Amino acid sequence: MRSANPAPHDLLPFPRGARYGPDDQAAVRDLLEAGRLSDTSRGPAIGALEDAFAALTNTRYALSFASGTAALHGALRGVGAHPDAGVVTSPLTWISAILVAFHSGSFPIFADVEPDGVNLNPTTVGSAGQASAVLVTHAFGIPARMDALTATTAVSGVPIVEDCSHAHGARYAGQPVGSWGAAGCFSLMERKPVSAGEGGVLTTNSRTVYERALTLGHHPHRLAAELTDPSLQPLASTGLGYKTRMPAVAAAIATAQLRRLEDRMAASETNLAHLLDVLHAHAAPITAPLMADGSTRGWYGTPLIVTEPVTDPAALFAVCTAAGVPVRPLYDDWLSSPLLQDPALLREAFPQVRHTGWRPPDPHALPNYQAARRQTLLLKVPDVPAADYMQQVGDTLATVLTQTIR
Ligand SMILES: *Cc1c(COP(=O)(O)O)cnc(C)c1O
């Protein structure tokens, strides 16, 4: 059903470039011609991608995985998450970033997001009690407050894992995401800012984290070539068998994609600035989340915060969609999902959870998270020049907000 106003009659189509271009196709063709799509060691395609991610994040090591979820699993193993103390995380993330705590033998502990923000609140991390890791998502490309988070955890020594799956190329206070914590993880799924089709990358400055993550699912050939830690050497001939390594063809595509990231980020930035100008000129009750000086956002849905109380977020979403504003739905509320609320279901899936301090979360316990779910609109911003389109979206969104909120 379409809303009566504003009329969506002459909306421009959403501007987009080709997802895969000639460079991606050439990279795949080269690999096919070489006839080498499965590499048990750190082959040229894999090595090139890992080097490119280490350069992007200014870290010493990067390790490729079959998925972002596997990279997170590797990172939690890397930093030593364990059953006796949980993994602190915000629920405003993709479900994988919550369930990996169980994969790693530990369990999630939910902490609230910042007021008027989308990321983990540094002050709630300290009060979350004893933890074996903190998993911070840079949600929807907005860099989390890494200086405050690292300061909070420095006292206890609890390692931070950054989930950068929405934030390829982003920086917090001038420093790349993925280099602040003990490890950073990037999903390279197709809709992410850099696509391998499917894939993931872990970044770290720690040789220990790198080698421990390597043992999760990389081939014994690679383990034998790279493990130096005497405590890990006994695993060199077997690894742990999760088979989490990235296919060479995925690495070749992602390396080609990464070369265009900067241009796409710049176009998105210009488009968002234009949109915010239009919204400001209309005095629309909406704003972008604050970012620290020297920060650069990543691009995976762009969160805007409605500044007047939204009583019916589903209705606002429907009106935006009907009017042609390119909004995308927020994640489900995982806190009230059957898997997290039903202990029998969870124990059946993750038997080792019996040995942990896991308890189902109170779905109403995190007021800022609940407020963010009501007040946040996630917008798709084109990554190609789109001035006319942004003008149109800004005008339309301002009209929708003025008519439905005030
Ligand atoms: C996509 C995503 C993941 C999981 O990545 P996959 O490559 O799909 O396994 C993890 N965390 C966040 C925040 C994501 O958006």
Side-chain angles (χ1 to χ4, degrees), residues 189-225:
M189 202 189 131
E190 188 151 75
R191 298 280 182 78
K192 302 297 162 72
V194 174
S195 169
E198 300 284 359
V201 174
L202 176 155
T203 55
T204 181
N205 283 310
S206 160
R207 184 77 203 174
T208 304
V209 169
Y210 173 80
E211 290 193 17
R212 284 181 59 88
L214 200 55
T215 58
L216 184 73
H218 282 69
H219 195 281
H221 288 165
R222 185 162 177 180
L223 301 186

Short mmCIF file of all heavy atoms in Angstrom, two decimals, residues 189-225:
data_model
loop_
_atom_site.label_atom_id
_atom_site.label_comp_id
_atom_site.label_asym_id
_atom_site.label_seq_id
_atom_site.Cartn_x
_atom_site.Cartn_y
_atom_site.Cartn_z
N MET A 189 31.12 -10.46 2.54
CA MET A 189 29.91 -10.93 1.88
C MET A 189 29.49 -9.93 0.82
O MET A 189 29.88 -8.78 0.86
CB MET A 189 28.82 -11.06 2.95
CG MET A 189 27.71 -11.99 2.60
SD MET A 189 26.43 -11.80 3.85
CE MET A 189 25.04 -11.63 2.78
N GLU A 190 28.66 -10.37 -0.09
CA GLU A 190 28.39 -9.56 -1.27
C GLU A 190 27.87 -8.15 -0.98
O GLU A 190 28.25 -7.21 -1.64
CB GLU A 190 27.40 -10.28 -2.17
CG GLU A 190 27.22 -9.58 -3.50
CD GLU A 190 26.85 -10.56 -4.58
OE1 GLU A 190 25.70 -11.00 -4.59
OE2 GLU A 190 27.72 -10.91 -5.38
N ARG A 191 27.03 -7.97 0.01
CA ARG A 191 26.46 -6.64 0.23
C ARG A 191 27.38 -5.75 1.06
O ARG A 191 27.06 -4.59 1.30
CB ARG A 191 25.11 -6.75 0.94
CG ARG A 191 24.09 -7.49 0.15
CD ARG A 191 23.48 -6.56 -0.92
NE ARG A 191 22.45 -7.25 -1.66
CZ ARG A 191 21.21 -7.45 -1.21
NH1 ARG A 191 20.87 -7.02 -0.02
NH2 ARG A 191 20.34 -8.10 -1.94
N LYS A 192 28.48 -6.28 1.53
CA LYS A 192 29.38 -5.49 2.37
C LYS A 192 30.19 -4.52 1.50
O LYS A 192 30.26 -4.69 0.28
CB LYS A 192 30.29 -6.42 3.19
CG LYS A 192 29.52 -7.39 4.09
CD LYS A 192 28.70 -6.68 5.14
CE LYS A 192 27.60 -7.52 5.77
NZ LYS A 192 28.03 -8.55 6.66
N PRO A 193 30.84 -3.51 2.11
CA PRO A 193 31.52 -2.48 1.30
C PRO A 193 32.63 -3.01 0.40
O PRO A 193 32.99 -2.38 -0.58
CB PRO A 193 32.08 -1.53 2.36
CG PRO A 193 31.24 -1.74 3.57
CD PRO A 193 30.82 -3.17 3.55
N VAL A 194 33.19 -4.16 0.73
CA VAL A 194 34.13 -4.85 -0.16
C VAL A 194 33.62 -6.28 -0.28
O VAL A 194 33.39 -6.94 0.74
CB VAL A 194 35.57 -4.87 0.42
CG1 VAL A 194 36.48 -5.72 -0.46
CG2 VAL A 194 36.11 -3.45 0.55
N SER A 195 33.42 -6.75 -1.50
CA SER A 195 32.83 -8.08 -1.68
C SER A 195 33.83 -9.08 -2.23
O SER A 195 34.57 -8.80 -3.17
CB SER A 195 31.64 -8.01 -2.65
OG SER A 195 31.25 -9.31 -3.02
N ALA A 196 33.81 -10.27 -1.62
CA ALA A 196 34.52 -11.41 -2.19
C ALA A 196 33.51 -12.43 -2.69
O ALA A 196 33.86 -13.55 -3.02
CB ALA A 196 35.41 -12.04 -1.13
N GLY A 197 32.23 -12.04 -2.73
CA GLY A 197 31.15 -13.02 -2.88
C GLY A 197 30.80 -13.50 -1.48
O GLY A 197 29.77 -13.18 -0.93
N GLU A 198 31.70 -14.28 -0.89
CA GLU A 198 31.67 -14.64 0.53
C GLU A 198 33.11 -14.64 1.01
O GLU A 198 34.00 -15.09 0.30
CB GLU A 198 31.08 -16.04 0.76
CG GLU A 198 29.65 -16.25 0.29
CD GLU A 198 28.61 -15.62 1.21
OE1 GLU A 198 28.97 -15.02 2.25
OE2 GLU A 198 27.42 -15.70 0.85
N GLY A 199 33.32 -14.16 2.21
CA GLY A 199 34.67 -14.18 2.76
C GLY A 199 34.78 -13.34 4.00
O GLY A 199 33.84 -12.64 4.39
N GLY A 200 35.94 -13.41 4.64
CA GLY A 200 36.20 -12.62 5.84
C GLY A 200 37.69 -12.42 6.00
O GLY A 200 38.49 -13.17 5.43
N VAL A 201 38.06 -11.36 6.73
CA VAL A 201 39.48 -11.11 7.00
C VAL A 201 39.63 -10.68 8.45
O VAL A 201 38.82 -9.90 8.95
CB VAL A 201 40.04 -10.01 6.07
CG1 VAL A 201 41.48 -9.67 6.46
CG2 VAL A 201 40.01 -10.45 4.61
N LEU A 202 40.66 -11.20 9.09
CA LEU A 202 41.02 -10.79 10.45
C LEU A 202 42.30 -9.96 10.37
O LEU A 202 43.22 -10.32 9.63
CB LEU A 202 41.25 -12.04 11.31
CG LEU A 202 41.72 -11.91 12.76
CD1 LEU A 202 41.30 -13.15 13.55
CD2 LEU A 202 43.24 -11.75 12.87
N THR A 203 42.35 -8.85 11.10
CA THR A 203 43.56 -8.03 11.14
C THR A 203 44.04 -7.94 12.58
O THR A 203 43.23 -7.90 13.52
CB THR A 203 43.27 -6.61 10.61
OG1 THR A 203 42.18 -6.04 11.35
CG2 THR A 203 42.93 -6.62 9.13
N THR A 204 45.34 -7.91 12.77
CA THR A 204 45.88 -7.83 14.14
C THR A 204 47.34 -7.41 14.11
O THR A 204 48.04 -7.61 13.11
CB THR A 204 45.74 -9.20 14.87
OG1 THR A 204 46.25 -9.07 16.20
CG2 THR A 204 46.51 -10.30 14.17
N ASN A 205 47.78 -6.82 15.21
CA ASN A 205 49.21 -6.54 15.38
C ASN A 205 49.89 -7.61 16.21
O ASN A 205 51.09 -7.54 16.44
CB ASN A 205 49.40 -5.17 16.04
CG ASN A 205 49.18 -4.03 15.05
OD1 ASN A 205 49.74 -4.04 13.97
ND2 ASN A 205 48.33 -3.09 15.41
N SER A 206 49.11 -8.58 16.67
CA SER A 206 49.65 -9.59 17.59
C SER A 206 49.95 -10.90 16.87
O SER A 206 49.06 -11.52 16.28
CB SER A 206 48.62 -9.85 18.71
OG SER A 206 48.88 -11.09 19.33
N ARG A 207 51.19 -11.31 16.93
CA ARG A 207 51.58 -12.59 16.33
C ARG A 207 50.83 -13.74 17.01
O ARG A 207 50.42 -14.72 16.37
CB ARG A 207 53.10 -12.79 16.48
CG ARG A 207 53.66 -14.04 15.82
CD ARG A 207 53.78 -13.87 14.31
NE ARG A 207 53.77 -15.16 13.62
CZ ARG A 207 53.75 -15.32 12.30
NH1 ARG A 207 53.75 -14.26 11.51
NH2 ARG A 207 53.73 -16.51 11.76
N THR A 208 50.62 -13.64 18.32
CA THR A 208 49.91 -14.70 19.05
C THR A 208 48.47 -14.83 18.57
O THR A 208 47.99 -15.94 18.30
CB THR A 208 49.91 -14.39 20.56
OG1 THR A 208 51.27 -14.21 20.98
CG2 THR A 208 49.27 -15.51 21.36
N VAL A 209 47.78 -13.69 18.45
CA VAL A 209 46.39 -13.72 17.97
C VAL A 209 46.35 -14.31 16.56
O VAL A 209 45.52 -15.18 16.25
CB VAL A 209 45.77 -12.31 18.00
CG1 VAL A 209 44.43 -12.28 17.26
CG2 VAL A 209 45.60 -11.83 19.43
N TYR A 210 47.28 -13.87 15.71
CA TYR A 210 47.34 -14.36 14.33
C TYR A 210 47.52 -15.88 14.30
O TYR A 210 46.78 -16.60 13.61
CB TYR A 210 48.49 -13.65 13.61
CG TYR A 210 48.78 -14.17 12.22
CD1 TYR A 210 48.01 -13.77 11.13
CD2 TYR A 210 49.84 -15.05 12.00
CE1 TYR A 210 48.29 -14.24 9.86
CE2 TYR A 210 50.13 -15.52 10.73
CZ TYR A 210 49.35 -15.13 9.66
OH TYR A 210 49.62 -15.59 8.41
N GLU A 211 48.47 -16.37 15.06
CA GLU A 211 48.76 -17.81 15.00
C GLU A 211 47.64 -18.65 15.61
O GLU A 211 47.29 -19.71 15.10
CB GLU A 211 50.10 -18.12 15.67
CG GLU A 211 51.27 -17.58 14.85
CD GLU A 211 52.62 -18.12 15.30
OE1 GLU A 211 52.66 -19.15 16.01
OE2 GLU A 211 53.65 -17.51 14.94
N ARG A 212 47.07 -18.15 16.72
CA ARG A 212 45.95 -18.90 17.32
C ARG A 212 44.75 -18.94 16.36
O ARG A 212 44.08 -19.97 16.23
CB ARG A 212 45.55 -18.27 18.66
CG ARG A 212 46.51 -18.59 19.81
CD ARG A 212 46.03 -17.96 21.12
NE ARG A 212 44.70 -18.44 21.50
CZ ARG A 212 44.47 -19.53 22.23
NH1 ARG A 212 45.48 -20.26 22.67
NH2 ARG A 212 43.23 -19.87 22.53
N ALA A 213 44.50 -17.82 15.69
CA ALA A 213 43.38 -17.76 14.72
C ALA A 213 43.65 -18.70 13.54
O ALA A 213 42.74 -19.34 13.01
CB ALA A 213 43.17 -16.34 14.24
N LEU A 214 44.90 -18.79 13.15
CA LEU A 214 45.31 -19.66 12.04
C LEU A 214 44.98 -21.12 12.32
O LEU A 214 44.62 -21.87 11.41
CB LEU A 214 46.82 -19.48 11.84
CG LEU A 214 47.54 -19.84 10.55
CD1 LEU A 214 46.92 -19.13 9.35
CD2 LEU A 214 49.02 -19.45 10.67
N THR A 215 45.09 -21.53 13.58
CA THR A 215 44.89 -22.95 13.91
C THR A 215 43.42 -23.38 13.82
O THR A 215 43.14 -24.58 13.78
CB THR A 215 45.40 -23.29 15.32
OG1 THR A 215 44.72 -22.45 16.27
CG2 THR A 215 46.89 -23.08 15.44
N LEU A 216 42.50 -22.40 13.79
CA LEU A 216 41.08 -22.77 13.80
C LEU A 216 40.71 -23.61 12.58
O LEU A 216 40.03 -24.63 12.70
CB LEU A 216 40.21 -21.50 13.82
CG LEU A 216 38.71 -21.73 13.92
CD1 LEU A 216 38.32 -22.18 15.31
CD2 LEU A 216 37.95 -20.46 13.55
N GLY A 217 41.16 -23.18 11.39
CA GLY A 217 40.65 -23.88 10.21
C GLY A 217 41.50 -23.76 8.97
O GLY A 217 41.03 -24.02 7.87
N HIS A 218 42.73 -23.27 9.12
CA HIS A 218 43.60 -23.24 7.94
C HIS A 218 44.31 -24.58 7.77
O HIS A 218 44.38 -25.38 8.68
CB HIS A 218 44.56 -22.05 8.03
CG HIS A 218 43.88 -20.74 7.66
ND1 HIS A 218 42.92 -20.18 8.46
CD2 HIS A 218 43.97 -19.94 6.57
CE1 HIS A 218 42.46 -19.08 7.88
NE2 HIS A 218 43.08 -18.92 6.73
N HIS A 219 44.81 -24.80 6.57
CA HIS A 219 45.35 -26.11 6.21
C HIS A 219 46.68 -26.37 6.94
O HIS A 219 47.47 -25.44 7.12
CB HIS A 219 45.57 -26.16 4.69
CG HIS A 219 45.78 -27.53 4.17
ND1 HIS A 219 46.99 -28.18 4.27
CD2 HIS A 219 44.93 -28.39 3.56
CE1 HIS A 219 46.89 -29.38 3.73
NE2 HIS A 219 45.64 -29.53 3.29
N PRO A 220 46.92 -27.61 7.31
CA PRO A 220 48.20 -27.94 7.96
C PRO A 220 49.43 -27.48 7.17
O PRO A 220 50.45 -27.14 7.79
CB PRO A 220 48.13 -29.46 8.10
CG PRO A 220 46.68 -29.75 8.23
CD PRO A 220 45.98 -28.74 7.35
N HIS A 221 49.34 -27.42 5.83
CA HIS A 221 50.49 -26.89 5.07
C HIS A 221 50.84 -25.48 5.51
O HIS A 221 51.99 -25.12 5.69
CB HIS A 221 50.17 -26.85 3.56
CG HIS A 221 50.13 -28.21 2.92
ND1 HIS A 221 49.58 -28.42 1.67
CD2 HIS A 221 50.56 -29.42 3.35
CE1 HIS A 221 49.67 -29.71 1.37
NE2 HIS A 221 50.25 -30.33 2.37
N ARG A 222 49.78 -24.69 5.66
CA ARG A 222 50.02 -23.29 6.05
C ARG A 222 50.45 -23.21 7.52
O ARG A 222 51.32 -22.41 7.88
CB ARG A 222 48.75 -22.45 5.79
CG ARG A 222 49.00 -20.99 6.06
CD ARG A 222 47.97 -20.04 5.45
NE ARG A 222 48.31 -18.68 5.86
CZ ARG A 222 47.65 -17.59 5.54
NH1 ARG A 222 46.61 -17.67 4.76
NH2 ARG A 222 48.04 -16.41 5.97
N LEU A 223 49.86 -24.05 8.34
CA LEU A 223 50.23 -24.05 9.77
C LEU A 223 51.71 -24.41 9.91
O LEU A 223 52.46 -23.76 10.65
CB LEU A 223 49.37 -25.05 10.55
CG LEU A 223 47.86 -24.81 10.51
CD1 LEU A 223 47.14 -25.77 11.44
CD2 LEU A 223 47.52 -23.38 10.88
N ALA A 224 52.12 -25.44 9.18
CA ALA A 224 53.53 -25.88 9.28
C ALA A 224 54.48 -24.77 8.83
O ALA A 224 55.55 -24.59 9.40
CB ALA A 224 53.74 -27.13 8.43
N ALA A 225 54.04 -24.01 7.83
CA ALA A 225 54.91 -22.96 7.30
C ALA A 225 54.98 -21.75 8.23
O ALA A 225 55.96 -21.02 8.23
CB ALA A 225 54.41 -22.53 5.92
#
